[in-house]
Amino acid sequence: MIITIRNEQPADYREVETLTREAFWNVYRPGCIEHFVLHKFRQHPLFIAELSFVMEADGKIIGHVMFSKAAIIAADGSEIPACTFGPISIHPAHQRKGYGLRLLNYSLQKAKEMGIGLLCMESNIEFYKHAGFVVASTLAIHYHGEAEDAEAPYFLAQELSDGYLGGRTGTYHTPRPYFVAEGNPEEFAIFDASFERKEKHLAEGQLPQFCQCCGMPLRADADCGTEADGSTCFDYCKFCYTDGHFVQQCSMEEMIDHCSQFVGEFNKHTGASLTREAYKMVLEGYFPTLKRWRK
C-alpha cells in the first residue's frame, strides 16, 4: 500500500467531509458535528489552507487534518500568536494502524517550517504525548473557564519553536468557529441531511449528555425523548419530550422548582450536602444554559 500526504484541494472537500463524518460518528456524541465544523471553517479567515492535508492510500483519501489560527491572551490584554488543529480524521477501516500519528507528525513539521511557534488543543494526553504535546498548564498556559491553578489535563500544548513563550503566560480561548454547529442548528441539520443517513446512538465513552430541559443525565437511547415520527431525540429526556412535544408546558422557574425536589439524588451522586433551597440556586445558574431555556 502506497501512502502519500498532500494539500487538500477544493475537489476533495465533499470526500473529506464524508470521511470526517465517518471517523467521528457516535464517538463523542450521538452523530457528530466535526464535518460541519470543517465545512464552515474553510470559509473563515482563521483557517490555514496551507496546513489542510489529506492522506491517501493507493490514491484513495483515508485521512485529513486542518489547522486554525488562535491566540493566547496575556494578562495585559496583548495576544501571543498560536495555532490549533483538528478535526484530524482517519477512516474507521484504517484506524489503530499508526496513520493518525504519521499524518499529525507530518503536519506538525510543516507548521514548524511555516514559523508557527505554539500549538494548543483539547484532547487526550496519552495519545498526543507521542507527538510532543504536554499538559498546557506546565507551560503556564491556562484554559478559559478554568481556574489559573487548574491542571486541566485535557488541555495540551507544544512549543514548535524552542523557547517561543519566553516566560509569557496567558489564557487560551477555543476559536469560535468550533462552535458553529451549536450556533447554527438549523443550517447544521440541513447540511448533515445531505449525507447518507446514519443511526445516532448514545454510547459509552461519549461526552456527558444531559436533557436540555431538566438537566437529567442521558446515558442510553432509552432515556431519550421522541420526535413526532418516532425517532429518538437526543436533546431531551423521555420525561420532558415525547412525540415531538414538551410534556410540561411550564416556565423555567417552574421547572427549577420541580427539579429541586430531587436534591437528594444530586447529593448522593456528587457527595454534596445541599439543602433544597441551595440546590435551587445551583439550578438557577445552570438552567439558562440549557437549550429549552437559552435566550
Side-chain angles (χ1 to χ4, degrees):
M1 184 180 295
I2 300 175
I3 302 296
T4 57
I5 300 174
R6 61 171 175 81
N7 282 107
E8 181 190 39
Q9 301 298 317
D12 302 320
Y13 287 176
R14 185 68 175 189
E15 184 177 354
V16 169
E17 290 161 4
T18 301
L19 161 73
T20 303
R21 187 172 184 258
E22 290 291 326
F24 284 95
W25 195 259
N26 290 335
V27 173
Y28 294 117
R29 58 180 57 79
C32 72
I33 62 172
E34 284 78 5
H35 55 311
F36 185 60
V37 170
L38 170 61
H39 176 74
K40 298 296 287 185
F41 234 128
R42 293 197 193 95
Q43 308 164 32
H44 199 279
L46 293 180
F47 179 70
I48 306 174
E50 299 90 337
L51 293 177
S52 183
F53 295 107
V54 296
M55 171 179 274
E56 293 180 318
D58 294 337
K60 181 173 178 57
I61 294 175
I62 66 165
H64 173 261
V65 64
M66 62 149 278
F67 282 67
S68 163
K69 297 175 184 177
I72 307 299
I73 308 302
D76 62 3
S78 61
E79 292 190 359
I80 303 170
C83 286
T84 187
F85 69 90
I88 178 170
S89 310
I90 299 295
H91 191 279
H94 297 277
Q95 291 175 2
R96 305 185 190 283
K97 298 179 181 179
Y99 293 130
L101 186 59
R102 183 170 171 178
L103 176 60
L104 178 59
N105 283 334
Y106 177 92
S107 61
L108 293 181
Q109 180 59 38
K110 293 299 182 181
K112 186 174 183 178
E113 291 171 5
M114 284 181 61
I116 292 172
L118 178 69
L119 283 172
C120 296
M121 52 93 67
E122 302 144 59
S123 197
N124 187 341
I125 185 62
E126 292 307 312
F127 175 80
Y128 285 97
K129 67 183 181 183
H130 300 294
F133 284 86
V134 298
V135 175
S137 60
T138 63
L139 298 176
I141 300 298
H142 313 292
Y143 189 76
H144 69 95
E146 296 276 8
E148 286 196 3
D149 59 352
E151 180 182 0
Y154 59 87
F155 177 46
L156 315 179
Q158 179 178 172
E159 287 183 297
L160 294 182
S161 175
D162 291 340
Y164 175 78
L165 285 169
R168 296 176 293 176
T169 65
T171 302
Y172 173 83
H173 292 258
T174 305
R176 292 302 304 168
Y178 281 106
F179 303 106
V180 66
E182 294 89 340
N184 302 273
E186 293 182 358
E187 183 182 358
F188 166 61
I190 293 171
F191 176 75
D192 188 55
S194 70
F195 292 81
E196 179 184 359
R197 187 179 183 278
K198 293 172 65 69
E199 292 290 336
K200 297 180 181 180
H201 293 291
L202 282 167
E204 186 177 352
Q206 291 178 351
L207 297 171
Q209 307 292 321
F210 299 94
C211 174
Q212 295 298 297
C213 175
C214 71
M216 178 183 124
L218 303 175
R219 298 188 175 91
D221 292 0
D223 295 334
C224 300
T226 55
E227 299 290 0
D229 62 1
S231 62
T232 303
C233 174
F234 293 97
D235 284 338
Y236 302 109
C237 74
K238 60 186 177 182
F239 304 109
C240 290
Y241 193 80
T242 301
D243 298 330
H245 300 285
F246 288 110
V247 176
Q248 308 95 343
Q249 297 304 317
C250 62
S251 67
M252 183 180 74
E253 290 71 22
E254 290 170 330
M255 180 60 74
I256 288 173
D257 186 64
H258 169 74
C259 291
S260 68
Q261 67 182 300
F262 303 109
V263 61
E265 287 296 310
F266 176 82
N267 287 338
K268 177 182 177 180
H269 290 292
T270 65
S273 55
L274 299 182
T275 64
R276 181 170 179 174
E277 287 304 311
Y279 186 44
K280 283 181 69 172
M281 292 180 64
V282 172
L283 297 181
E284 286 168 357
Y286 174 54
F287 270 49
T289 70
L290 299 178
K291 183 177 179 178
R292 185 179 182 184
W293 314 115
R294 198 180 299 145
K295 296 180 179 179

